[in-house]
Amino acid sequence: MSGGTNREHAYLIGLDIGTSAVKGVLMSVEGSIISREKSETAYQRMDDGGIQFDVRQLYRLTVDVIRRLADALPQGSSIAGLSIASASGNTVLVNERGEPMIPAFSWMDQRVNDEMNAVFGKLDADEVHDTVGWPLLDTFPLAHLAWLRCHEPKLLDASSVICMSTDYLHFRLTGNWSIDRSTATTFYLQDQKTAQWHSPYLQQLGIPESKLPPIRSTGDVIGHITSEAADETGLVQGTPVVLGSFDHPSAARGTGILDEGQLLISCGTSWVGFWPVKDRRQSVSLRMLTDPFLQPAGPWGAMFSLPAIATSIDDYIRKYIADGPDRYREFDRLAESVSAGAGGLLVNPSAEEIPGDLVQAGKAQIARALMEGTAFLLKAQIDKLEANGTRFAAATMVGGPSETFPWPQIVADVLGMDIRTVNGSCAGAAGAAMIAGIGAGLYSDERDALKQLSFPELVRKPDPGTAAIYQAQYRQFMNKYMNLGSDAK
């Protein structure tokens, strides 16, 4: 293999480092997905609410996925570039030898209590949102670092680099430190409007800016595969590594969601709605998660989230449906076997309280009601946006559920709009491959890339009769569950 960019024989690798798995694609410059690879991740859950993981193991999973993708490269072809999209929000401390000092804090970590108040005093939530782009939360790096300042100050001070898990992966691959504006948003330490580290937060945490990776743009080449990384990945030394983005904006690129009025429904550990907005203030005023997306020349991105809802659904599936390795296949089969409305059963997957009538319900009813309840939660969020003047005529659905049945059709019927599926569970990785191509000079930007890429798609239209059933059931759902939705990731 060669690291050159002979277009006729050039391929791209895109990675999506998600919360539950490392996924990757080998993509031709025309958009054909030659190979998909995946490795499941693992977490350690602690009694104090902590959720952490070994970032060195994450690197091993990542290079294993890269190696399998590289092995699928056609004879005589080369990898023109590699890029990573990621869920991020995971905090890592690194020593002067480039080694992790502690397990990484996951973005799902719940150990923070009053530590943020102890470090920052009473933070103004609106000011934080306007500065960093995301609502004030206590489960992301700003909170993790406050916890470390209170409980492990010597460890924090002894660190050579303070970063997130994606930054560490980049360092292991290239020997260089850097972070893109999109991923840096989840750090909660960046002034999103200026793309600079926000010195007031750093000063209160007692962290010098020199310990943080330099902020650069999505599509910039961060460095090249080192000789050590070449041995580990099977890539040629010198292969370009390109800065990617947060996972949902990457999936938007990988499905052609670039303009206002388009909606992406990304179904992972969290289910996220993402759409481009020209005016950043609109997203912030609606208390949305805000991403730099195609800045500075293009739109910002706005996001709402049903946080960690896949984890809640999995808990339901294990408890009431099946607990084996094929439980999701059984979940889909059972849901398909029941007609719309699940016999009147209503389930809010995000609610802490389990409905009493669940005990008497059959497995198939529960499966169908879980899918319908998730779609109702999506509709509740979209209804709020429409009440504030945001309109969507259709949506694109990606993630694992988009590749199953009847999930996408239920979403189409509940939302009453066409649901398009493109690149399914590998949309984020396909978007990262697109970014790799931009960094390698194969495409001038995302719009040029989409002109050259041909992605197959499937459109599901709402069934009028089923949609009418869901309209009535949605009203019952809303009456039963009052506090719907969240701004969290």
Side-chain angles (χ1 to χ4, degrees):
M1 290 179 292
S2 166
T5 55
N6 182 336
R7 186 181 185 87
E8 185 179 353
H9 301 289
Y11 288 80
L12 302 161
I13 287 180
L15 301 177
D16 181 357
I17 313 296
T19 301
S20 59
V22 175
K23 292 174 284 188
V25 298
L26 176 67
M27 188 179 83
S28 73
V29 294
E30 293 82 21
S32 296
I33 304 298
I34 306 302
S35 178
R36 297 188 189 191
E37 294 293 343
K38 177 180 177 180
S39 289
E40 303 290 337
T41 56
Y43 293 84
Q44 177 189 3
R45 297 180 181 271
M46 300 152 60
D47 292 340
D48 63 356
I51 301 178
Q52 60 188 32
F53 62 93
D54 183 350
V55 72
R56 289 167 296 192
Q57 174 62 13
L58 180 65
Y59 177 71
R60 288 191 287 271
L61 293 174
T62 301
V63 297
D64 179 61
V65 167
I66 295 172
R67 177 172 285 280
R68 283 183 273 149
L69 293 170
D71 287 345
L73 188 68
Q75 187 71 27
S77 300
S78 64
I79 302 297
L82 174 150
S83 186
I84 299 175
S86 67
S88 201
N90 311 307
T91 304
V92 180
L93 301 185
V94 178
N95 64 22
E96 68 280 358
R97 297 183 300 277
E99 301 166 344
M101 301 170 68
I102 56 173
F105 280 67
S106 165
W107 69 266
M108 299 182 292
D109 194 282
Q110 298 287 331
R111 79 185 80 175
V112 175
N113 292 306
D114 297 323
E115 289 85 357
M116 291 186 73
N117 287 335
V119 172
F120 298 104
K122 182 65 175 177
L123 284 168
D124 184 306
D126 291 337
E127 182 180 340
V128 171
H129 197 164
D130 184 57
T131 299
V132 307
W134 280 29
L136 177 60
L137 301 169
D138 60 3
T139 59
F140 279 79
L142 190 68
H144 304 160
L145 294 170
W147 189 95
L148 287 164
R149 175 52 67 198
C150 291
H151 299 285
E152 296 286 354
K154 292 182 179 179
L155 196 65
L156 189 61
D157 292 337
S159 63
S160 178
V161 177
I162 298 170
C163 63
M164 292 188 291
S165 51
T166 313
D167 313 327
Y168 174 77
L169 299 180
H170 282 140
F171 171 72
R172 289 292 302 271
L173 291 171
T174 69
N176 296 332
W177 291 105
S178 196
I179 189 171
D180 64 273
R181 292 180 63 186
S182 175
T183 306
T185 295
T186 68
F187 216 158
Y188 274 77
L189 295 175
Q190 176 192 223
D191 184 325
Q192 195 181 63
K193 290 176 286 187
T194 64
Q196 302 292 322
W197 295 119
H198 189 53
S199 58
Y201 294 167
L202 298 183
Q203 290 168 5
Q204 288 170 294
L205 285 165
I207 295 173
E209 186 175 322
S210 59
K211 287 191 175 187
L212 302 179
I215 300 173
R216 298 172 65 186
S217 297
T218 293
D220 284 355
V221 175
I222 183 177
H224 300 81
I225 294 292
T226 65
S227 60
E228 181 180 354
D231 291 340
E232 293 170 325
T233 62
L235 298 178
V236 170
Q237 181 178 351
T239 301
V241 177
V242 180
L243 281 172
S245 75
F246 186 50
D247 53 358
H248 305 298
S250 184
R253 290 174 168 90
T255 55
I257 303 294
L258 303 182
D259 297 305
E260 282 194 318
Q262 296 178 302
L263 173 65
L264 176 75
I265 300 172
S266 181
C267 311
T269 299
S270 300
W271 281 41
V272 172
F274 177 97
W275 66 102
V277 292
K278 293 179 181 177
D279 189 347
R280 181 181 185 272
R281 293 170 298 180
Q282 178 186 1
S283 177
V284 173
S285 67
L286 291 173
R287 300 198 57 74
M288 296 293 112
L289 310 174
T290 306
D291 186 84
F293 197 35
L294 303 183
Q295 283 291 299
W300 297 82
M303 291 174 276
F304 67 75
S305 177
L306 308 179
I309 194 166
T311 304
S312 300
I313 292 171
D314 188 57
D315 290 342
Y316 273 97
I317 293 172
R318 288 178 181 272
K319 184 172 183 179
Y320 295 103
I321 298 173
D323 195 22
D326 292 330
R327 61 187 181 276
Y328 290 109
R329 191 173 301 169
E330 179 69 359
F331 174 59
D332 295 336
R333 184 189 70 79
L334 289 170
E336 185 181 0
S337 72
V338 175
S339 60
L345 180 65
L346 294 172
V347 178
N348 177 359
S350 68
E352 294 182 5
E353 184 177 349
I354 305 297
D357 51 357
L358 206 63
V359 179
Q360 288 77 35
K363 290 183 178 181
Q365 277 183 286
I366 295 171
R368 184 83 185 196
L370 282 169
M371 290 189 180
E372 292 171 347
T374 305
F376 291 150
L377 291 173
L378 281 174
K379 181 170 172 55
Q381 292 283 2
I382 293 171
D383 283 353
K384 290 179 185 178
L385 293 172
E386 290 187 342
N388 284 279
T390 301
R391 296 284 186 273
F392 307 109
T396 299
M397 185 173 174
V398 300
S402 72
E403 296 181 331
T404 67
F405 190 83
W407 266 121
Q409 189 61 50
I410 288 174
V411 173
D413 292 334
V414 168
L415 299 185
M417 63 174 67
D418 290 357
I419 295 297
R420 170 177 168 261
T421 55
V422 182
N423 283 325
S425 62
C426 68
M434 177 192 293
I435 292 169
I438 293 171
L442 297 172
Y443 319 119
S444 60
D445 58 20
E446 286 82 357
R447 296 185 190 280
D448 178 54
L450 288 170
K451 290 177 183 177
Q452 301 186 48
L453 295 167
S454 178
F455 293 136
E457 63 179 64
L458 176 65
V459 177
R460 293 176 174 87
K461 295 184 174 295
D463 176 80
T466 306
I469 292 172
Y470 283 144
Q471 286 177 8
Q473 193 152 8
Y474 175 64
R475 290 192 291 270
Q476 296 174 22
F477 184 87
M478 292 295 288
N479 288 333
K480 184 173 183 178
Y481 302 105
M482 298 302 294
N483 297 316
L484 300 176
S486 171
D487 290 328
K489 176 176 176 289

